[in-house]
Amino acid sequence: MNIKGLYRDELIKLITPVYRADQILQWVYEKQAESFDAMTNLPAPLRAKLAEEFALNALKEVKTRHATDTTEKFLFKLHDGSLIETVLIPATPGLTSTDDRQTVCVSTQAGCAFGCKFCASGLDGFKRNLSAAEIVDQVWQVQKLMKQKVNNIVVMGMGEPFANYENVLRALRILNAPWAFGIGARKMTVSTVGIVTGIRRLAEEPMQIRLAVSLHGATDEVRGKIMPINRKFPLKELMAACEYYAQVKGKMLTFEYILIENVNDMIEQAHKLAGMARRVHAKVNLIPYNPVEGLPWQRPDRDRCKVFQHVLRQAGISATLRIEKGTDIAAACGQLRLQHER
Ligand code: SAH
């Protein structure tokens, strides 16, 4: 049992008296102790018992890569040898003005089963769901390694969060808890390939977690070509779920739209996308495609991306064209793991 996957309530049932459990949590999240032995205000027999019954670290750092733009990418090994990626995207003053966000992008599965045609994460198939502790530990390790407080989480790493719903929500609740890192729910964004049941379920959570939907196509024809999930949940159903989320939460969601040359970058897609975004009050995050070695897809040139963005803005939709970060360290979507394994 890993301490980082437990709620305080659960730990209290296992460790008495309560103040001892709280001391342990303080060591784990406030002082970020790396071993039970380091918890010097606990009696030695308790430390020994903890070391015997609990695990503290779920991940081992394998590799760290620094990009010229200060993005850091981490490759972690799990106890079964699986590799996952985590990215730290620090605030970039000057680039995004007064932004002081330290964003960590976490993975939720080893591999991915959804097989989006353009994505590197699914190339080697699906291995397994990550435990809550393995998700929490990604944030923990990055904060420890970088000596920087993390205050923003995007669940946009390897894997599909809604295919591992329970563990992802457990991890986010722990990261949100005042006895752990206290990261605001509004500072957490879950990105989904478009699992309708997950979107509806998230709408009913009391936590105010943000939602991002990977759209990447504004018609079933275009989306279906690159995202197999569109067969199970076509756009009509996906939009209905987004509408439900927007209504219940009274909050804006984000449509992610990667721009792939001659696949989904046509102007008529932009017009359709604008209509969809208006309907559910979504803002649009345009991301020029990050080419993946071995895959045929390319990104459109900058002008074409700008035209696409312009169409959305003319239609009154808030649309950002993402500034690439970390491309030189293969920070996009499963590429570092792929390089390492090969
Ligand atoms: N499974 C979830 C979260 C992980 S992917 C989802 O699909 O949303 C996070 C985002 O990166 C998704 O929008 C995904 O489509 C996108 N992505 C995958 N490969 C990419 C690439 N090579 N370049 C740019 N974005 C990519």
Side-chain angles (χ1 to χ4, degrees):
M1 209 178 331
N2 192 305
I3 297 259
K4 289 171 188 161
L6 293 177
Y7 297 132
R8 179 174 177 269
D9 289 358
E10 294 168 332
L11 191 66
I12 283 170
K13 288 197 186 112
L14 300 167
I15 308 281
T16 48
V18 172
Y19 81 91
R20 285 288 182 217
D22 283 329
Q23 279 177 321
I24 294 167
L25 289 173
Q26 240 168 43
W27 279 109
V28 174
Y29 294 106
E30 212 171 286
K31 300 178 201 157
Q32 294 209 263
E34 280 178 281
S35 70
F36 291 112
D37 235 24
M39 304 182 180
T40 46
N41 62 356
L42 303 183
L46 177 58
R47 278 185 267 160
K49 182 184 161 219
L50 287 170
E52 211 169 283
E53 292 176 11
F54 295 95
L56 192 53
N57 298 307
L59 310 173
K60 231 185 104 198
E61 188 196 1
V62 177
K63 198 187 261 184
T64 303
R65 295 254 234 130
H66 318 266
T68 43
D69 66 7
T70 72
T71 300
E72 306 272 344
K73 185 150 196 178
F74 306 88
L75 192 67
F76 291 116
K77 190 178 259 173
L78 312 179
H79 59 75
D80 65 354
S82 302
L83 295 169
I84 57 159
E85 298 184 0
T86 307
V87 185
L88 173 69
I89 309 150
T92 318
L95 205 67
T96 41
S97 67
T98 56
D99 195 343
D100 65 346
R101 283 182 298 178
Q102 301 291 329
T103 303
V104 169
C105 176
V106 298
S107 292
T108 56
Q109 300 182 308
C112 183
F114 288 83
C116 297
K117 297 276 196 288
F118 47 80
C119 178
S121 290
L123 282 181
D124 288 343
F126 171 70
K127 211 150 174 200
R128 68 169 172 88
N129 281 336
L130 300 193
S131 66
E134 287 165 338
I135 299 169
V136 169
D137 209 16
Q138 292 174 59
V139 178
W140 193 100
Q141 296 289 346
V142 168
Q143 182 165 299
K144 177 90 182 178
L145 287 163
M146 300 308 294
K147 303 182 176 74
Q148 278 181 41
K149 189 104 183 78
V150 173
N151 53 21
N152 209 53
I153 309 262
V154 293
V155 185
M156 294 186 185
M158 187 185 296
E160 167 52 40
F162 288 160
N164 186 16
Y165 191 97
E166 301 286 346
N167 291 346
V168 169
L169 261 287
R170 171 179 277 265
L172 294 180
R173 285 188 209 108
I174 290 170
L175 291 165
N176 172 248
W179 45 262
F181 286 147
I183 300 169
R186 286 178 181 81
K187 303 290 176 67
M188 300 174 174
T189 304
V190 173
S191 173
T192 179
V193 72
I195 299 192
V196 160
T197 43
I199 294 172
R200 291 184 178 272
R201 208 167 154 192
L202 188 71
E204 273 145 31
E205 293 287 341
M207 258 173 105
Q208 297 298 314
I209 298 166
R210 290 178 192 277
L211 174 68
V213 175
S214 296
L215 212 53
H216 309 337
T219 55
D220 282 320
E221 201 213 333
V222 169
R223 190 166 191 265
K225 253 187 230 160
I226 49 179
M227 301 177 74
I229 188 70
N230 200 68
R231 278 196 289 275
K232 188 163 182 199
F233 299 119
L235 284 175
K236 190 159 179 263
E237 277 177 54
L238 180 55
M239 284 309 113
C242 289
E243 214 164 6
Y244 179 73
Y245 176 91
Q247 250 166 31
V248 172
K249 286 285 186 221
K251 268 204 317 203
M252 264 204 160
L253 56 137
T254 302
F255 284 154
E256 295 165 273
Y257 198 100
I258 48 178
L259 288 163
I260 312 176
E261 192 176 50
N262 297 329
V263 172
N264 66 357
D265 62 344
M266 294 76 84
I267 296 307
E268 99 240 8
Q269 289 288 306
H271 286 292
K272 293 228 163 73
L273 177 57
M276 294 161 85
R278 187 175 307 111
R279 185 173 141 203
V280 300
H281 301 290
K283 49 185 181 181
V284 176
N285 193 2
L286 298 170
I287 309 147
Y289 179 62
N290 270 306
V292 175
E293 219 185 294
L295 297 182
W297 321 93
Q298 294 302 323
R299 68 166 61 164
D301 63 36
R302 196 78 194 158
D303 281 350
R304 194 155 171 89
C305 296
K306 290 250 181 202
V307 169
F308 200 95
Q309 180 187 29
H310 185 72
V311 171
L312 291 165
R313 288 196 165 164
Q314 284 295 101
I317 304 301
S318 155
T320 53
L321 185 57
R322 189 187 287 180
I323 303 159
E324 239 47 56
K325 288 190 188 178
T327 321
D328 59 325
I329 51 165
C333 321
Q335 297 188 54
L336 180 60
R337 180 187 69 132
L338 219 56
Q339 281 175 8
H340 183 82
E341 281 182 342
R342 285 172 183 176

